[in-house]
Amino acid sequence: MKIAYYLDSGVRLWGELDLEANTVRPFEGRFEQWAPAVTEAGRDGVSFAGGAISLDSVKLLAPVHETAEILGTGVNYATHGLPRHGADVPFYMRPHSAIANPGEDLVFPDIIKIQPRCRFSYELELCVVMGREVGDPDHGIRDVLGYAVGNDGRLVFQRPNFIGMDMTGSKCGYKGSSVGPWIVTKDEISGDTQPDIEMTMRINGVITQQARTSAMNKDISALIYELDDRIGLKAGDIIYTGTPGYIGIDTGFYTPGDLIEAEIEGIGILRNRMEHTNRDIGSNAAKSSHEVGWR
Amino acid sequence: MKLAKYQDQTGEHWGSVDVDAGTVHQISGAFETWAPAVTDAGPGVLDFIGDPVSLAAVRLLAPRPPRGEILWVALNYPDWPKPEDADPPVFQKPRSAIIGPGDEFRYPALIKKQTQCYFCYETELVAVVGASQIDDPARGSRDILGYTIGIGGALRNVRVGAVGIDLVALRSGKHTSSLGPWIVTKDEFPDGRPAVEFTTRINGVVTQEGDTGDMLWDMDRIVHEVGHRLRLSCGDVIYTGTTGYVGAPDGIFHPGDRIEATIEGIGTLSNSMETNDPYAVHPSQRLGGENRVPNIYPTPLWRRAPQ
């Protein structure tokens, strides 16, 4: 089942998306009620609050429940680097204001104004949406509601603060990231096992990232295990699971007006455009990572 | 004016607290509607519903709307070692970490996995954002609705991750931070920025004494730095850091501890620690019982010379 979060006459609703019929149909009850039921029983877990309406009369929103936490994972694919010296996987958090809706323009982060050497880039990621609190920490994937496509905006060449990388500065810019366009429940992907699906990133039609989700260093259950110890996951929480390396380019910097198409097999294509205003004033300051010795 | 969020038989509301009379008066409208107006024009713009009711008849909650983000700024007082030109480290906390006045703290689950960790308390001034959206962070504390008290639970000695300190682990456990008892609007402080004394008492004994005027990065700078990193909006809260400890080794929470955080001009926030002891060996024994600030900020792995 495809689950959409959408705006219908000013009201935000969750419902089932039917792409062939081009309709959405709202769920009965609150997110906290139906999400655990769908996690347990799939489509049998929900009842509907009304009839199907045309997709053209609503606006799709990023499928983020209003009190959900949005978590990110660093270095989880060998092609993009792995934690050195056996260190733990780095995690970070991101506010809701950092997420753009499907189809909406992305925005260059404000921090470029005070740190002009920064450059902004994209990261293609599989997003995991939790359906309930974690029951068995060794098999966290059982508590996953489904998956969505994620574009994880990332600032590079940023000034580290004195206790490590400034992940808040790097990852939290207003509408710098996106997730969506909808959630596909896990029974349509791989059930309670690690998904093995292809992810492809196209910038203006050119493939710049491509990998299979089976190549993750820490699989989804392992990430959930680590995160549940740290924050205690709950229904709706979203985990970006890390990005693979780039193909044929250095680090995937945006240029204004770029068309970003993030596609994951079995889920769909998440499309956004980078804003046309060139706020990327760092573009002349630093041309490559070697120049600033960042990595 | 003191603005509190509370629960009665009919649900959750916001109200204005009169401490002397021991009453709370329900505010009309949604937080997102009146908070920007109060931030601009002061609490005179508020409308109230019905008559004030006794504070004893309601339960005070953490004074933040459910959707708001929770930010924290680390090491903002001179007691902590840091380079001169440092940028303030800014991080997020999950919503599930926050409890209200009188609720019980929990030890972070990670203590069971990383047994070298220990859990401490930190009293902090907390700013509540009032403007509907901070588009121009240079406006600084003018977009702040008011201030409240926070007890930030800090897990120390956590293993260092691949890009520096494991910040999601440090301050994020379920029910590890508290907020309250109410927001004092900024018009009650000169310049809208409190320079006031604060203390922490554990079971009645003073263990932290500080002055929010000693902050290295003041409220204007904090809004500037945080606001350039993310778009702050109405109801977001910012924990602004804590000072050192007096007479208590590292501020370690013992099971069953009663904590009272007092900030002059705001009030007192009280909570207790759960009574279950998560430690195999208590950290005060591991630390030799010395009164010292532990080295919790080792060189991050990514800055060390390659091996």
Side-chain angles (χ1 to χ4, degrees):
Chain A
M1 177 171 60
K2 291 187 173 63
I3 299 172
Y5 191 39
Y6 59 95
L7 195 64
D8 180 7
S9 323
V11 184
R12 291 157 183 266
L13 296 170
W14 289 94
E16 183 185 16
L17 176 72
D18 185 338
L19 282 179
E20 278 167 25
N22 198 42
T23 57
V24 279
R25 194 177 173 197
F27 293 154
E28 179 79 50
R30 292 185 302 118
F31 184 90
E32 288 82 356
Q33 292 163 337
W34 60 257
V38 172
T39 306
E40 185 64 41
R43 194 175 183 279
D44 298 336
V46 284
S47 50
F48 294 92
I53 56 164
S54 167
L55 193 56
D56 302 329
S57 64
V58 303
K59 177 178 183 263
L60 283 182
L61 302 172
V64 184
H65 179 48
E66 59 178 23
T67 55
E69 302 302 337
I70 306 164
L71 298 142
T73 307
V75 288
N76 203 23
Y77 285 84
T79 50
H80 191 60
L82 294 175
R84 281 181 279 174
H85 315 305
D88 289 353
V89 186
F91 294 110
Y92 50 87
M93 296 183 64
R94 145 173 305 145
H96 288 213
S97 59
I99 302 287
N101 294 318
E104 202 173 18
D105 279 5
L106 301 181
V107 179
F108 283 109
D110 290 336
I111 197 169
I112 295 179
K113 291 177 200 157
I114 56 170
Q115 293 190 18
R117 300 198 81 164
C118 294
R119 301 290 311 272
F120 195 43
S121 87
Y122 52 84
E123 295 184 338
L124 165 68
E125 309 196 8
L126 177 70
C127 282
V128 172
V129 184
M130 296 303 293
R132 58 188 175 200
E133 292 191 2
V134 176
D136 178 355
D138 290 326
H139 300 94
I141 202 164
R142 290 176 189 165
D143 304 309
V144 168
L145 171 66
Y147 301 99
V149 184
N151 173 14
D152 180 352
R154 169 186 77 141
L155 204 66
V156 295
F157 307 152
Q158 197 186 354
R159 242 166 80 151
N161 62 40
F162 61 101
I163 58 175
M165 263 175 78
D166 180 1
M167 297 306 268
T168 306
S170 172
K171 298 286 188 176
C172 298
Y174 178 69
K175 292 198 189 291
S177 303
S178 56
V179 59
W182 42 70
I183 300 167
V184 176
T185 51
K186 67 169 185 273
D187 53 309
E188 287 193 11
I189 306 282
S190 58
D192 289 341
T193 57
Q194 172 76 12
D196 177 18
I197 44 182
E198 183 144 284
M199 313 194 287
T200 310
M201 178 64 112
R202 288 186 187 81
I203 303 293
N204 304 322
V206 179
I207 293 177
T208 56
Q209 288 187 295
Q210 198 157 40
R212 293 192 77 81
T213 55
S214 50
M216 284 181 198
N217 177 37
K218 293 268 187 189
D219 67 14
I220 288 165
S221 280
L223 296 176
I224 291 173
Y225 178 92
E226 296 284 338
L227 278 169
D228 193 47
D229 271 347
R230 283 163 173 77
I231 78 160
L233 294 166
K234 61 180 189 308
D237 287 356
I238 291 186
I239 307 168
Y240 281 76
T241 57
T243 192
Y246 299 92
I247 300 169
I249 50 170
D250 183 8
T251 42
F253 298 138
Y254 279 125
T255 47
D258 274 351
L259 177 66
I260 305 122
E261 292 170 298
E263 179 170 10
I264 301 185
E265 182 190 344
I267 303 177
I269 303 177
L270 173 65
R271 277 191 193 85
N272 295 94
R273 196 174 276 283
M274 179 40 91
E275 62 174 343
H276 288 276
T277 318
N278 188 2
R279 283 184 242 267
D280 185 17
I281 50 181
S283 52
N284 296 319
K287 291 280 193 285
S288 80
S289 50
H290 306 294
E291 225 173 281
V292 288
W294 181 75
R295 294 200 114 179
Chain B
M1 186 174 278
K2 295 181 169 68
L3 306 170
K5 189 178 171 191
Y6 64 94
Q7 188 178 32
D8 63 13
Q9 293 86 343
T10 60
E12 294 182 2
H13 313 286
W14 283 86
S16 157
V17 172
D18 183 336
V19 176
D20 294 331
T23 58
V24 57
H25 199 176
Q26 189 181 336
I27 296 170
S28 157
F31 180 87
E32 288 77 9
T33 317
W34 55 256
V38 172
T39 305
D40 270 351
V45 300
L46 286 174
D47 289 326
F48 296 94
I49 302 173
D51 293 321
V53 296
S54 166
L55 265 179
V58 304
R59 177 171 165 242
L60 291 180
L61 305 171
R64 55 172 289 277
R67 295 180 68 158
E69 307 286 346
I70 302 141
L71 288 308
W72 56 281
V73 174
L75 308 169
N76 197 8
Y77 287 83
D79 308 70
W80 309 98
K82 68 181 77 60
E84 293 253 314
D85 62 340
D87 279 348
V90 179
F91 309 101
Q92 261 185 282
K93 248 188 228 287
R95 294 158 182 83
S96 56
I98 305 293
I99 56 174
D103 295 346
E104 194 173 81
F105 281 116
R106 276 197 226 162
Y107 283 105
L110 199 65
I111 290 184
K112 295 252 161 66
K113 305 280 167 50
Q114 294 194 19
T115 52
Q116 83 285 2
C117 292
Y118 49 98
F119 187 56
C120 308
Y121 52 83
E122 302 184 338
T123 294
E124 310 187 28
L125 179 75
V126 179
V128 182
V129 175
S132 32
Q133 186 162 279
I134 297 190
D135 299 320
D136 178 14
R139 283 171 52 82
S141 57
R142 275 179 286 178
D143 286 333
I144 300 292
L145 169 66
Y147 299 90
T148 182
I149 306 170
I151 301 173
L155 190 61
R156 301 234 164 98
N157 230 8
V158 178
R159 246 190 348 245
V160 173
V163 295
I165 294 199
D166 184 350
L167 289 150
V168 173
L170 290 187
R171 302 287 196 279
S172 305
K174 225 172 192 176
H175 296 199
T176 54
S177 294
S178 65
L179 195 67
W182 39 66
I183 301 164
V184 175
T185 50
K186 66 170 184 294
D187 56 286
E188 299 197 7
F189 301 97
D191 290 341
R193 283 166 295 185
V196 290
E197 289 180 2
F198 63 94
T199 50
T200 311
R201 284 187 181 79
I202 297 290
N203 306 320
V205 179
V206 173
T207 57
Q208 280 192 299
E209 273 181 313
D211 190 319
T212 60
D214 293 341
M215 283 187 192
L216 295 181
W217 303 295
D218 65 11
M219 265 334 295
D220 288 339
R221 177 82 192 275
I222 289 173
V223 172
H224 182 264
E225 294 285 344
V226 178
H228 273 105
R229 284 168 171 76
L230 52 104
R231 195 66 64 95
L232 289 166
S233 59
C234 184
D236 291 353
V237 299
I238 310 171
Y239 283 68
T240 59
T242 198
T243 187
Y245 299 93
V246 288
D250 313 320
I252 293 166
F253 252 138
H254 293 255
D257 270 353
R258 173 108 195 126
I259 180 165
E260 292 163 294
T262 304
I263 301 185
E264 194 191 332
I266 302 179
T268 299
L269 172 64
S270 318
N271 295 93
S272 52
M273 188 65 208
E274 66 171 326
T275 49
N276 298 326
D277 189 346
Y279 301 112
V281 180
H282 195 272
S284 58
Q285 261 116 57
R286 279 182 261 149
L287 296 168
E290 289 164 19
N291 181 10
R292 64 182 184 85
V293 176
N295 176 23
I296 52 174
Y297 304 109
T299 314
L301 285 169
W302 65 277
R303 272 191 175 175
R304 287 180 198 162
Q307 289 162 10

